[in-house]
Amino acid sequence: MLRRSHPGSKESIVNTNSLTASLFSQLQGTGVQQVSQQLGLDQNQATQAVSAALPLLMGALGSNASQPQGAQSLLNALQKDHLGGGSGGGGFDLGGILGAVLGGGGGGAATNGAGILGHVFGGQTDQAAQVLGNKTGLDSGRAGQLLAILAPIVMSFLAQRFAQQGNANELGQALGAEAPPAAAGGIGGLLNAFDQDGDGQFRISDVMGILSKR
């Protein structure tokens, strides 16, 4: 079972003033409700699961973007496949991208959650889903489904923020800032649990470190 948040503690679910917090705030309400229905969760379970999965995805993207040419490669992908996520190209169309993902795609690479996860996690998507499941109480199957639903949304969100400007350094710095301080609670504590080697960043090696201790 997932641990329920206390009333009034919503602000502590994700770090404020971050990409993760901004996207999470937009998903709350109708977005989380649609996810909960798709996965067979109640609203609180879905909220907690989404609040854990988003920083996991952002952290993995930040790790990728920190590698040589990583930010530029990510920017190229955003520009090529994900700029259509805005209504008329003018903004982030959460309803449109979520509807396309839950409706079975039809948008090619932009809504191919499994394909995006393969790039983000370097072919270790199943391990990442297992770790997320361990941290949220979801079985690994539904944890994987959740990541596949959220991955196209994250990419579309980032595309609307960064792809049009075309600044890879800005993208890399923004994603790098998603790591929480070591003493943070809530999602900060969750990511610290993912951070098995204590370097302050979530990496695939951290996923493997958690699994090796099972």
Side-chain angles (χ1 to χ4, degrees):
M1 295 292 294
L2 295 171
R3 186 179 63 183
R4 295 178 178 273
S5 59
H6 297 292
S9 65
K10 185 179 295 181
E11 289 78 12
S12 67
I13 293 176
V14 293
N15 294 327
T16 59
N17 301 319
S18 71
L19 294 173
T20 301
S22 177
L23 178 54
F24 181 71
S25 69
Q26 294 183 58
L27 278 165
Q28 286 184 298
T30 302
V32 170
Q33 182 179 20
Q34 289 180 269
V35 170
S36 70
Q37 293 171 348
Q38 183 75 11
L39 298 181
L41 305 173
D42 66 36
Q43 189 81 358
N44 185 70
Q45 285 178 313
T47 299
Q48 294 294 322
V50 169
S51 74
L54 285 178
L56 175 59
L57 286 164
M58 291 287 192
L61 285 167
S63 177
N64 293 341
S66 71
Q67 305 302 312
Q69 300 301 314
Q72 187 62 56
S73 295
L74 175 57
L75 179 62
N76 292 344
L78 296 176
Q79 292 173 327
K80 178 183 177 182
D81 297 323
H82 299 281
L83 268 177
S87 177
F92 176 54
D93 181 13
L94 175 59
I97 190 69
L98 186 57
V101 171
L102 296 181
T111 57
N112 182 359
I116 294 169
L117 292 175
H119 291 292
V120 171
F121 291 111
Q124 300 184 64
T125 303
D126 290 345
Q127 291 93 323
Q130 187 175 357
V131 169
L132 178 62
N134 290 343
K135 296 300 177 182
T136 61
L138 296 179
D139 60 78
S140 59
R142 283 196 288 186
Q145 283 183 272
L146 176 60
L147 289 172
I149 290 169
L150 293 178
I153 295 171
V154 169
M155 294 294 279
S156 178
F157 173 77
L158 293 175
Q160 298 306 316
R161 288 290 189 99
F162 300 102
Q164 293 180 348
Q165 291 84 352
N167 189 325
N169 288 334
E170 182 181 354
L171 172 62
Q173 290 173 1
L175 286 172
E178 292 300 293
I187 283 301
L190 174 65
L191 285 184
N192 288 330
F194 283 129
D195 179 21
Q196 292 293 290
D197 56 14
D199 65 353
Q201 296 182 342
F202 169 77
R203 303 180 187 277
I204 289 300
S205 61
D206 295 318
V207 174
M208 302 309 296
I210 293 171
L211 293 177
S212 68
K213 296 180 180 179
R214 285 174 58 84

